[in-house]
Amino acid sequence: TGEKFFENLIEMLSDFNSNSVKVIINNNYIDWKNIQREKKIAVHRILLELMVNMKKHSSCNVVNIGFQQHKNTICITYKDNGIGTSEMLKFKNGLKNAENRIQLINGTLTFETGTDKGFKAEITAPL
């Protein structure tokens, strides 16, 4: 959660690159030095949960993750081009943990998916 937080986060996300999956990171800048430690930990763990779910379930070949700061809010978007799902999302351990983490930092976590429409998630939290 120190000075190299974002570099370490990018490294973790980049570790999911493979011969079959390309992880693209769009950084429109978040001033991480002014973000509380608890929020950094929550963001890191939520993104890790999303990436693990991608690897296990999505069958995608492209993941796009974007970082933005709007006045007093951070916004992180996750999108993949995988198989998605037509069923209501099942909040098992991974997504349930992500939901609990976002609530602890007074943020929101929204999902959008559909059969053959990929998977999208948006993380927002106040600074």
Side-chain angles (χ1 to χ4, degrees):
T1 59
E3 286 183 28
K4 297 202 181 258
F5 169 77
F6 191 66
E7 290 86 353
N8 292 330
L9 183 64
I10 296 300
E11 185 176 329
M12 180 274 292
L13 295 170
S14 297
D15 284 345
F16 286 88
N17 274 308
S18 69
N19 291 336
S20 59
V21 177
K22 174 72 176 165
V23 178
I24 301 167
I25 299 166
N26 297 309
N27 181 21
N28 292 343
Y29 187 72
I30 292 176
D31 187 8
W32 291 105
K33 69 180 180 293
N34 292 324
I35 307 292
Q36 295 171 343
R37 181 178 185 273
E38 297 80 21
K39 291 182 183 180
K40 290 178 185 178
I41 292 168
V43 164
H44 185 277
R45 291 186 179 157
I46 291 167
L47 284 171
L48 181 58
E49 293 286 357
L50 291 173
M51 297 303 283
V52 168
N53 278 350
M54 173 276 299
K55 191 171 184 176
K56 286 182 180 178
H57 306 294
S58 81
S59 300
C60 71
N61 59 14
V62 176
V63 175
N64 191 312
I65 301 171
F67 295 88
Q68 293 183 330
Q69 182 173 326
H70 304 285
K71 295 185 181 181
N72 295 323
T73 305
I74 60 171
C75 180
I76 302 165
T77 55
Y78 167 98
K79 298 177 187 175
D80 72 39
N81 67 344
I83 59 172
T85 181
S86 63
E87 298 177 22
M88 181 85 133
L89 281 176
K90 293 181 179 144
F91 282 76
K92 294 187 179 174
N93 289 339
L95 291 179
K96 187 65 180 163
N97 288 342
E99 182 182 46
N100 290 338
R101 291 183 209 296
I102 200 70
Q103 289 174 353
L104 288 173
I105 62 169
N106 297 316
T108 61
L109 179 59
T110 56
F111 302 104
E112 183 181 325
T113 187
T115 303
D116 297 324
K117 294 188 179 189
F119 184 83
K120 297 177 186 174
E122 183 176 83
I123 302 162
T124 57
L127 293 179

